[in-house]
Amino acid sequence: MKGKIITAVFILLLAASAAMIAAGSGTTAAENRAAASFPPFDRQTVLSGGFASGVESYINDRVACREYIIELSRRLGARMGITPPEGVVIRADVDMGTGESLASDILVANGAVTEIFDFSAECADRWADAVNAYTKYLDGVNVYAALVPTRLEFAEPIYSNLEDSQSEAIRYIYSRLAPGVTPVDMRAALAPHTGEYVYFRTDHHWTALGAYYGYRALCGAADVGAVDIGGFEKNVKTPFKGYLSAFVADKSLLDKPDALEWYDTDAAGEITNVMYSRGEGGAWHEYHTPIYYDERSDYDFFLGADHPFALYKNPGALTDKTVLIVSDSFVNALAPWLMKTYKAVALINPRSFGGTLGEAVQKLRPDDFLVLDYTFAASFPDYCAAMESLLPHSADISAAP
């Protein structure tokens, strides 16, 4: 008997749903758009998921009293002080710099554009394994690992739930690190300051202020002194057009422009730098450049973009220590702060270095070693492959600069 009642209720609900769809007018005038058409049924739409989402849109647009329901929802929300969130998810190809573009989802909402994180256990393992493998070159060196979450990690749940949890991904990766590697909790460093301008709205990077909070966390983990941001003049350069803005066709979604804020951490002009590149036959070429803060209006303002191997020296630093860093471009806004603490700061870009970690360690004899990336780097196979490329002993160590 109970089963018959459940069956009858199910049939009744199904009939009611069909009646509502049949009674629907198929108009969406209040939204200033045409009602969705029934999607074509073919191999392409089925495999891409377009057929399923198209049918859902077709049905939704034909529910009876649809416009009245939407308007009632808006009015109730307004009366309760709730503004319905609006946003759009864009499919885009993102190139991490190795020439391989990977399909990614990008969210545009609340005047900001952010990547949507997609966790990959395989890549996460490769990232952690690479860091662990580095330690065999670093006997007697303090080793640190830091993953920086992006803006969406701190957004309202209705937005942050669109992605895999970055904090859970970070915890997973940190749990796989060798005992000799000290993890740095960048999320905890940034969380109290998310109401401040710590992330760009049109770019996935952190700002100079966000990098400063990361710098404080690193100095705390390494037990070295850190400078106070209040002792430096803040400068503002506008406009700033972030990398992710290129994926947004409707620029009105980003009405509030970004500003590039920076702090003059080398007012005395003491910091020097040397860049290295590798030529034919593995020979190292040294060149000097005065670039510290560039005149560009994008993220390349910091250090003039990524470099295969760069060494910065500051005789007026708080310590006599040397730190060697393997990192993606998140290090560019962080490095000027680190140069105030470390007498020598060396940066390796694994995507373009072309050498081995052993070469750099032999040359620099660092006191501290850091691997710093944003969370997404540990989900991109091409970036993890670049990290692994630092491990082989195939290069002649004597050829190191």
Side-chain angles (χ1 to χ4, degrees):
M1 182 66 179
K2 184 178 179 180
K4 291 182 179 179
I5 293 175
I6 294 175
T7 301
V9 171
F10 174 77
I11 293 173
L12 182 62
L13 290 174
L14 186 63
S17 299
M20 290 184 71
I21 294 172
S25 64
T27 63
T28 53
E31 297 167 67
N32 193 30
R33 66 178 177 86
S37 302
F38 195 84
F41 182 80
D42 54 38
R43 182 176 182 276
Q44 181 177 356
T45 59
V46 171
L47 292 179
S48 67
F51 179 76
S53 61
V55 170
E56 182 180 357
S57 298
Y58 176 83
I59 294 173
N60 287 342
D61 279 1
R62 283 160 177 78
V63 171
C65 304
R66 179 180 187 278
E67 295 183 15
Y68 296 104
I69 293 172
I70 292 174
E71 181 60 25
L72 178 61
S73 174
R74 287 174 178 168
R75 289 185 180 182
L76 287 174
R79 180 160 296 195
M80 296 172 63
I82 301 172
T83 301
E86 296 181 359
V88 59
V89 175
I90 301 170
R91 194 70 170 174
D93 290 335
V94 177
D95 180 8
M96 280 294 294
T98 57
E100 180 180 352
S101 294
L102 302 172
S104 300
D105 289 325
I106 294 175
L107 170 68
V108 183
N110 287 341
V113 52
T114 55
E115 294 168 291
I116 298 176
F117 180 67
D118 186 12
F119 176 69
S120 166
E122 179 185 356
C123 291
D125 291 343
R126 291 176 65 185
W127 193 94
D129 290 345
V131 175
N132 293 338
Y134 292 161
T135 60
K136 69 181 180 180
Y137 299 98
L138 299 162
D139 186 34
V141 178
N142 303 310
V143 181
Y144 306 92
L147 285 168
V148 184
T150 59
R151 166 191 287 274
L152 196 53
E153 168 67 16
F154 303 104
E156 303 95 317
I158 196 166
Y159 295 124
S160 62
N161 286 341
L162 292 172
E163 68 174 0
D164 293 332
S165 172
Q166 294 187 54
S167 58
E168 290 181 10
I170 292 171
R171 279 195 293 270
Y172 173 81
I173 293 171
Y174 282 1
S175 72
R176 291 187 53 82
L177 294 176
V181 181
T182 300
V184 183
D185 192 346
M186 287 296 190
R187 190 191 188 285
L190 291 164
H193 305 284
T194 53
E196 304 171 38
Y197 194 37
V198 294
Y199 290 105
F200 293 113
R201 287 180 292 274
T202 61
D203 200 281
H204 60 291
H205 291 101
W206 54 8
T207 63
L209 178 61
Y212 173 75
Y213 292 127
Y215 158 72
R216 300 284 300 194
L218 286 168
C219 289
D223 195 23
V224 292
V227 295
D228 187 340
I229 195 172
F232 302 92
E233 178 185 359
K234 183 175 76 171
N235 300 275
V236 180
K237 182 178 176 62
T238 57
F240 174 88
K241 185 178 180 181
Y243 167 68
L244 294 178
S245 64
F247 297 101
V248 182
D250 183 2
K251 303 303 180 183
S252 65
L253 295 173
L254 302 170
D255 287 335
K256 191 175 181 180
D258 267 312
L260 202 158
E261 299 178 350
W262 60 284
Y263 299 80
D264 192 358
T265 52
D266 188 29
E270 295 181 299
I271 298 176
T272 60
N273 57 72
V274 179
M275 310 293 179
Y276 299 98
S277 63
R278 203 162 198 172
E280 295 182 6
W284 286 95
H285 300 288
E286 174 183 326
Y287 60 96
H288 298 260
T289 172
I291 292 177
Y292 184 59
Y293 289 125
D294 203 340
E295 286 302 313
R296 307 181 205 201
S297 59
D298 57 18
Y299 189 73
D300 288 347
F301 174 86
F302 299 103
L303 308 187
D306 301 338
H307 303 282
F309 187 16
L311 176 62
Y312 298 83
K313 293 184 178 181
N314 180 14
L318 297 180
T319 73
D320 288 331
K321 290 187 173 184
T322 294
V323 61
L324 173 60
I325 305 172
V326 171
S327 179
D328 60 18
S329 55
F330 260 64
V331 79
N332 294 3
L334 174 70
W337 294 116
L338 289 172
M339 294 172 204
K340 302 302 294 182
T341 291
Y342 288 91
K343 188 174 183 178
V345 176
L347 309 179
I348 288 179
N349 181 346
R351 294 166 292 188
S352 57
F353 178 49
T356 65
L357 183 62
E359 297 176 77
V361 170
Q362 184 183 43
K363 170 64 179 178
L364 298 169
R365 305 294 181 187
D367 302 283
D368 294 339
F369 174 79
L370 168 68
V371 179
L372 179 134
D373 292 310
Y374 88 128
T375 315
F376 286 71
S379 69
F380 289 132
D382 56 339
Y383 187 82
C384 292
M387 291 180 65
E388 293 162 348
S389 71
L390 301 180
L391 292 170
H393 286 283
S394 58
D396 181 4
I397 292 180
S398 64

